[in-house]
């Protein structure tokens, strides 16, 4: 029995063809994947199927109802988790759930049985604001909100991007439980282990369906995109260095009685790629904020690029680069204007900015796009530009907070080539990531659990000492030991 039928659907935004003659079907109770690089058209397809967007041509039905003529019928039957959770950050857990229940003309009590197994995991935090939840908890709340009206079809647009590996595994265990109840699930994801959990997948690229088959068939057929060759390790480069550019001793950051960072000590060498890993809520971002001068420690010491994190945080900011998850680029400025702006912020001279801009545009192969607005660029392009801008002034250290979230493996590989190039020039790279294949690319790794550094060493040392086959198993082995009740 067919749950979703898409026939010859096209959608354009001006000159951009988001979807081109797309056709596929999804069986009732099937777990179906929509996969492909950023800008492939996945989100446009989700929005059409959820009746949030009208197709330019073609037809689509959900549970037998037409997405154009029978919108109200479809909206009663579908649940939707957009990529950037639809939660209201200033509302509590319970208030968010009440709001979504009201939208669908129901109540928490009426839909409780359908969300019980998931919602009970966070119900004790029902009075906490959504903005204060860890990534894994937000995920569970967003899924509860999407299920409270008991839909028959669930649409998930990259629901696990930015969430640690353990929380991702738990999320897919919840989806398996929903499948057993006969709910049809359509999901997009950049994680290959999640792609393999789908029964079938459709691979979209530039708005076209390139293939539909079992995951293993599609991943093998398009292995250049999904399984690019690994990058040669940079360990040899880092081992030649002896100068320490980050020195941390007994660093603590407390919020009342809660120790977000609880007595951590480590050093990082010049030119080293240092992976700073941990589950959501482990304390990584808090530690990074202290190292970058954005927050003051409660106790302990830290030296970054030769400056004291307690007394010289303004000097630190001038000698580091920083790339956050939400990029610092200005979307209404062009590529060239963004580069020029950040060069000026970093105190570079006009002639130096001009000459380095030309070299950077050539390196990124952006020469023909220098006058394009950043807001019009694909996510992978923005990421490469944001990284390049963050090291434009040749800082001693660049801090990268989950820089590759949500992009395909081939684009992530290109991004890591930029990281390796920066490290070869002596720039220290301090990086957090939830992709465990990227952890393998680091010279050394620390893994935080409950505010403490639980393990530190090269990927090979960690795998050997913990008797685990890969970094994914290393991370899971350590992260499952967490005792904090708010993750």
């Amino acid at each position: 029995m067919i749950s979703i039928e898409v026939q010859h659907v096209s959608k354009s935004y001006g000159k951009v063809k988001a979807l081109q003659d797309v056709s596929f079907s999804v069986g009732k109770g099937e777990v179906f994947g929509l996969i492909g690089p950023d800008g492939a058209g996945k989100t446009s397809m989700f929005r059409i199927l959820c009746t949030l967007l009208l197709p330019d041509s073609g037809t689509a039905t959900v549970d037998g109802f037409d997405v154009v003529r029978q919108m109200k019928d479809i909206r009663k039957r579908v649940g939707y988790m957009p990529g950037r959770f639809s939660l209201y950050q200033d509302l509590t857990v319970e208030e968010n759930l009440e709001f979504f229940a009201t939208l669908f003309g129901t109540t928490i009590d009426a839909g409780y049985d359908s969300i019980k197994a998931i919602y009970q995991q966070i119900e004790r935090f029902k009075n906490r604001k959504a903005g204060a939840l860890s990534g894994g908890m937000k995920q569970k709340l967003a899924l509860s909100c999407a299920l409270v009206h008991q839909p028959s079809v669930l649409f998930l647009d990259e629901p696990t991007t930015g969430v640690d590996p353990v929380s991702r595994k738990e999320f897919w265990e919840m989806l398996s439980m929903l499948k057993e109840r006969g709910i049809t699930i359509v999901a997009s994801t950049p994680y290959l282990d999640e792609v393999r959990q789908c029964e079938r997948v459709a691979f979209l690229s530039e708005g076209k369906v390139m293939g539909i088959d079992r995951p293993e068939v599609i991943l093998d057929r398009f292995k250049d995109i999904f399984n690019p060759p690994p990058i040669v390790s940079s360990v040899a480069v880092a081992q030649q260095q002896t100068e320490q550019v980050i020195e941390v001793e007994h660093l603590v950051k407390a919020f009342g009685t809660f120790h977000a960072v609880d007595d951590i000590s480590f050093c990082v060498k010049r030119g080293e790629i240092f992976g700073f890993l941990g589950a959501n809520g482990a304390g990584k971002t808090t530690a990074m904020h202290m190292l970058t001068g954005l927050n003051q420690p409660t106790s302990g010491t830290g030296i970054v690029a030769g400056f004291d994190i307690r007394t010289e945080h303004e000097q630190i900011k001038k000698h580091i680069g920083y790339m956050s998850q939400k990029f610092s680029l200005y979307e209404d400025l062009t590529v060239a204007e963004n580069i020029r702006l950040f060069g000026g912020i970093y105190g570079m001279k006009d002639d130096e900015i001009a000459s380095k801009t030309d070299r950077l545009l050539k390196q990124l192969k952006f020469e023909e796009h220098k006058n394009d607005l950043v807001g019009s660029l694909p996510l992978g392009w923005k990421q490469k530009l944001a990284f390049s801008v963050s090291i434009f002034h040749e800082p001693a250290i660049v801090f990268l907070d989950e820089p590759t979230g949500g992009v395909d493996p081939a684009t992530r590989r290109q991004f890591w080539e930029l990281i390796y190039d920066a490290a070869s020039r002596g720039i220290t790279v301090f990086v957090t990531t939830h992709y465990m294949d990227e952890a393998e690319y680091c010279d050394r790794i620390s893994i935080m659990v409950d505010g403490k550094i639980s393990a530190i060493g090269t990927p090979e040392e960690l795998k050997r000492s913990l008797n685990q086959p890969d970094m994914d198993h290393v991370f899971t082995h350590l992260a499952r030991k967490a005792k904090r009740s708010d993750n």
Side-chain angles (χ1 to χ4, degrees):
M1 186 174 177
I2 299 299
S3 176
I4 298 167
E5 186 80 56
V6 177
Q7 294 186 327
H8 308 294
V9 164
S10 294
K11 180 67 183 180
S12 297
Y13 306 101
K15 295 180 180 178
V16 178
K17 295 180 178 179
L19 295 169
Q20 301 183 61
D21 196 30
V22 171
S23 299
F24 63 88
S25 62
V26 181
K28 188 169 180 58
E30 184 177 13
V31 179
F32 187 85
L34 275 182
I35 63 174
D38 183 66
K42 303 185 298 294
T43 297
S44 292
M45 192 72 252
F46 277 118
R47 292 176 68 82
I48 286 172
L49 293 173
C50 291
T51 74
L52 300 173
L53 196 65
L54 292 173
D56 294 337
S57 60
T59 61
T61 60
V62 177
D63 270 1
F65 296 95
D66 186 88
V67 297
V68 176
R69 293 182 290 103
Q70 297 167 302
M71 288 183 180
K72 290 183 178 180
D73 294 292
I74 289 177
R75 289 175 182 176
K76 293 174 184 175
R77 289 168 170 78
V78 303
Y80 178 44
M81 268 182 73
R84 300 285 181 187
F85 305 138
S86 52
L87 303 173
Y88 290 88
Q89 305 294 311
D90 291 332
L91 296 183
T92 66
V93 168
E94 189 173 50
E95 287 168 344
N96 266 281
L97 194 56
E98 284 176 349
F99 174 75
F100 281 92
T102 303
L103 277 183
F104 292 104
T106 187
T107 64
I108 296 176
D109 288 343
Y112 191 80
D113 285 346
S114 64
I115 63 171
K116 180 179 178 181
I118 300 165
Y119 185 57
Q120 278 187 335
Q121 299 177 46
I122 57 171
E123 192 170 11
R124 65 186 182 279
F125 304 108
K126 65 182 181 181
N127 294 319
R128 181 178 294 185
K129 287 188 177 181
L133 300 177
S134 68
M137 290 173 71
K138 285 181 180 175
Q139 209 178 37
K140 290 166 186 170
L141 176 56
L143 185 56
S144 297
C145 290
L147 291 169
V148 70
H149 62 297
Q150 304 177 59
S152 57
V153 182
L154 185 60
F155 293 103
L156 308 170
D157 190 359
E158 297 193 0
T160 58
T161 296
V163 179
D164 68 81
V166 172
S167 294
R168 290 199 295 108
K169 288 182 175 71
E170 290 175 351
F171 185 84
W172 278 85
E173 287 168 5
M174 289 186 275
L175 295 188
S176 296
M177 178 182 65
L178 296 176
K179 174 181 166 51
E180 289 174 8
R181 285 169 29 195
I183 295 177
T184 304
I185 298 170
V186 181
S188 66
T189 176
Y191 296 99
L192 300 191
D193 58 326
E194 295 182 357
V195 170
R196 293 187 180 97
Q197 299 214 41
C198 299
E199 292 162 87
R200 289 187 307 136
V201 296
F203 172 48
L204 288 175
S205 181
E206 297 181 347
K208 298 178 181 177
V209 175
M210 310 305 290
I212 301 173
D213 213 315
R214 300 188 314 280
E216 58 270 24
V217 174
I218 293 296
L219 293 178
D220 180 65
R221 182 176 163 193
F222 299 100
K223 57 189 174 186
D224 289 347
I225 294 171
F226 293 108
N227 191 25
I231 303 173
V232 178
S233 173
S234 69
V235 171
V237 174
Q239 285 178 342
Q240 297 169 6
Q241 300 289 342
T242 57
E243 180 189 354
Q244 307 284 3
V245 293
I246 300 176
E247 298 174 77
V248 172
E249 291 187 10
H250 304 296
L251 202 61
V252 173
K253 181 61 179 181
F255 298 96
T257 58
F258 176 72
H259 284 202
V261 174
D262 192 7
D263 192 16
I264 63 172
S265 300
F266 63 90
C267 294
V268 183
K269 291 185 288 189
R270 177 172 297 281
E272 188 172 22
I273 300 174
F274 188 78
F276 200 57
L277 309 186
N280 295 106
K284 305 186 305 299
T285 300
T286 302
M288 189 180 285
H289 283 173
M290 288 189 282
L291 297 178
T292 54
L294 297 174
N295 214 329
Q296 293 293 293
T298 303
S299 62
T301 61
I303 302 295
V304 174
F307 300 100
D308 191 308
I309 62 173
R310 283 181 167 279
T311 59
E312 299 174 296
H313 35 86
E314 291 305 318
Q315 284 297 319
I316 288 174
K317 292 174 186 175
K318 295 177 183 177
H319 289 82
I320 65 170
Y322 180 71
M323 179 179 163
S324 67
Q325 293 165 288
K326 293 181 179 172
F327 317 147
S328 52
L329 300 173
Y330 289 85
E331 303 232 327
D332 54 351
L333 296 181
T334 66
V335 169
E337 287 169 343
N338 265 278
I339 297 171
R340 189 160 61 246
L341 171 66
F342 282 94
I345 290 172
Y346 292 130
M348 298 170 63
K349 295 179 179 178
D350 289 347
D351 56 346
E352 184 185 9
I353 292 173
S355 62
K356 287 197 71 174
T357 296
D358 290 339
R359 289 202 299 273
L360 177 57
L361 290 170
K362 186 174 182 180
Q363 179 190 7
L364 296 177
K365 299 178 181 176
F366 278 14
E367 297 107 317
E368 295 181 5
H369 301 280
K370 67 179 182 180
N371 295 319
D372 290 2
L373 290 178
V374 164
S376 69
L377 301 178
L379 177 62
W381 290 30
K382 289 180 187 176
Q383 284 172 313
K384 287 185 278 190
L385 178 61
F387 174 70
S388 301
V389 164
S390 73
I391 61 169
F392 195 60
H393 58 308
E394 294 291 321
I397 307 159
V398 62
F399 290 87
L400 308 176
D401 192 0
E402 294 179 30
T404 56
V407 295
D408 62 272
T411 304
R412 290 197 290 113
R413 187 190 190 282
Q414 293 168 11
F415 187 91
W416 273 84
E417 288 173 347
L418 295 177
I419 289 178
Y420 272 41
D421 179 66
S424 71
R425 304 202 307 270
I427 296 175
T428 299
V429 180
F430 190 99
V431 58
T432 71
T433 179
H434 286 319
Y435 290 98
M436 291 302 105
D437 60 326
E438 294 184 352
E440 302 271 4
Y441 292 155
C442 297
D443 298 322
R444 281 191 307 139
I445 294 162
S446 78
I447 299 179
M448 286 189 74
V449 178
D450 291 346
K452 298 178 181 291
I453 291 179
S454 182
I456 191 166
T458 67
E460 289 305 316
E461 287 170 350
L462 294 179
K463 286 183 283 188
R464 187 168 59 250
S465 65
L466 295 171
N467 194 28
Q468 300 294 330
D470 53 39
M471 283 307 303
D472 184 64
H473 283 79
V474 167
F475 184 95
T476 302
H477 173 76
L478 293 173
R480 289 201 185 277
K481 295 180 179 180
K483 294 182 174 63
R484 285 182 181 172
S485 61
D486 62 338
N487 286 310

